[in-house]
Amino acid sequence: MENTITGHTRLAALFATPIRHSVSPMIHNTAFQTLEIDAVYLAFEVGTDGLKQAIDSIKNLDMIGANLSMPNKILAVEYMDELSEAARLIGAVNTITNDHGKLTGHNTDGTGFMRSLQDIEVDIIGKKMTIIGAGGAATAIIVQAALDGVKEITVYNRKDDFYEKIKEKLAYISENTNCAITLNDLSDEHSLAKDVAESALLLNATGVGMKPLENQTPIQDFSIIRSDLAVCDVIYTPRETEFLKQARLRGAKTNNGLGMLLYQGAAAFEKWTGQEMPIEIVKPIIE
Ligand code: NAD
């Protein structure tokens, strides 16, 4: 292999744990090499204890920036000099940029999802969407959809200990955007059917459909799926969950979470380099 690392080469990094399974180093290093950008991307095993020091090193080593995974995404908020509007509303940072020592926290998970809709030629701006789940992935998507101009979002979550907290959080996001956002009990099938009937998109943002719940689906009554409804899943392993399969069999346009994964990385890359990630070269790495 040709050595292209020199005294000028700069570093971008992933601070996460566990980390060795991550595809991000392959995605970003392929993009750097393709565009002949003198930079490398490395994965560092960093937990919450070492996060502050790791983030300080972005300044100290004049790094390009970093990516974070959970739970570092939430903890990092307090270490940023600035936050993007999305990161502030979500309360989590997945991408850090370094502008001459000023660290800005961004969240590209939601933009990643919104861009993935272009792959199935679905436009939800000015329309209504229904989301199942209200955890980290869902919140990032809800905030970005609201900022991008989705008119109404109905969120369905199981009535667990977090339900009231989620309600407050969604009210806060709604107050700070032009989007009407409501939280509903996932067991209320009647309301779910009504909201899905008015929605352009139905999204599963829970882990229901992947291991160890790979045989389960987040909804039970698939008669609510229309052929002109877009149905998406944040899950990408398996590539087609039972939820997506049932939706596809009813003629809906479907999309798994691979696009969200790819495009959140592309958005980070573009913030770091000012260049577009070469999607057609990077995409086969994760497919
Ligand atoms: P989280 O723990 O923050 O939230 C999980 C959500 O799922 C909660 O709303 C919870 O109430 C709900 N949930 C969990 N089990 C459930 C069940 N049995 N029935 C009904 N609801 C249930 O997790 P997260 O970080 O938001 O991740 C959710 C999923 O999104 C995971 O499958 C993860 O792999 C995926 N994800 C994908 C991407 C991507 O780029 N495609 C990015 C982040 C997360």
Side-chain angles (χ1 to χ4, degrees):
M1 199 173 85
E2 191 195 349
N3 178 23
T4 55
I5 295 177
T6 69
H8 297 279
T9 306
R10 294 185 69 205
L11 175 66
L14 172 62
F15 298 146
T17 184
I19 200 168
R20 301 299 159 205
H21 65 284
S22 172
V23 293
S24 293
M26 285 195 293
I27 289 177
H28 288 286
N29 287 317
T30 300
F32 286 146
Q33 284 160 19
T34 304
L35 300 179
E36 296 183 355
I37 294 170
D38 194 3
V40 291
Y41 183 106
L42 295 177
F44 294 101
E45 191 91 42
V46 176
T48 50
D49 286 349
L51 184 63
K52 168 92 175 60
Q53 277 177 304
I55 289 176
D56 283 345
S57 66
I58 299 173
K59 289 187 189 189
N60 295 336
L61 305 179
D62 190 27
M63 291 168 57
I64 295 176
N67 283 142
L68 308 169
S69 75
M70 285 298 280
N72 292 347
K73 285 182 182 181
I74 292 174
L75 211 70
V77 167
E78 62 178 297
Y79 302 138
M80 295 296 106
D81 298 314
E82 234 170 64
L83 288 173
S84 73
E85 180 69 348
R88 187 182 70 78
L89 288 173
I90 297 163
V93 166
N94 80 332
T95 300
I96 302 171
T97 53
N98 178 14
D99 181 13
H100 304 286
K102 189 183 85 182
L103 302 186
T104 303
H106 307 265
N107 195 310
T108 65
D109 286 331
T111 44
F113 174 79
M114 292 300 284
R115 183 171 170 188
S116 76
L117 295 178
Q118 292 172 16
D119 288 348
I120 53 166
E121 295 173 355
V122 166
D123 180 8
I124 56 167
I125 306 309
K127 299 178 186 165
K128 171 170 172 170
M129 69 189 282
T130 296
I131 300 185
I132 303 165
T139 305
I141 292 167
I142 290 163
V143 165
Q144 196 60 49
L147 290 174
D148 285 357
V150 168
K151 193 175 80 181
E152 185 180 352
I153 305 173
T154 43
V155 182
Y156 281 79
N157 205 69
R158 57 186 178 175
K159 245 191 168 160
D160 57 13
D161 293 347
F162 305 105
Y163 195 84
E164 290 307 317
K165 268 251 162 316
I166 293 167
K167 204 171 193 171
E168 281 172 31
K169 173 100 185 171
L170 294 180
Y172 176 75
I173 297 168
S174 185
E175 280 161 22
N176 283 271
T177 58
N178 286 324
C179 185
I181 307 171
T182 52
L183 180 64
N184 306 272
D185 184 352
L186 182 56
S187 68
D188 184 352
E189 291 197 352
H190 179 72
S191 295
L192 179 67
K194 188 175 160 291
D195 283 321
V196 170
E198 296 166 354
S199 293
L201 171 72
L202 173 64
L203 166 68
N204 174 40
T206 76
V208 179
M210 69 181 282
K211 267 188 183 160
L213 306 174
E214 66 267 42
N215 297 320
Q216 296 186 27
T217 52
I219 64 168
Q220 310 315 319
D221 176 10
F222 282 91
S223 70
I224 65 174
I225 308 282
R226 319 177 306 271
S227 60
D228 67 338
L229 180 72
V231 179
C232 297
D233 208 318
V234 291
I235 294 172
Y236 49 84
T237 312
R239 296 292 188 256
E240 186 179 61
T241 55
E242 187 61 26
F243 171 66
L244 284 191
K245 183 181 166 192
Q246 291 301 327
R248 177 174 57 78
L249 292 175
R250 281 161 180 80
K253 270 187 186 175
T254 61
N255 206 15
N256 66 25
L258 268 186
M260 177 177 173
L261 176 73
L262 177 65
Y263 296 127
Q264 63 76 28
F269 184 88
E270 283 156 32
K271 287 185 190 306
W272 291 330
T273 66
Q275 297 195 49
E276 269 192 40
M277 182 177 268
I279 293 297
E280 68 293 346
I281 292 177
V282 170
K283 206 173 179 183
I285 295 172
I286 60 164
E287 279 177 341

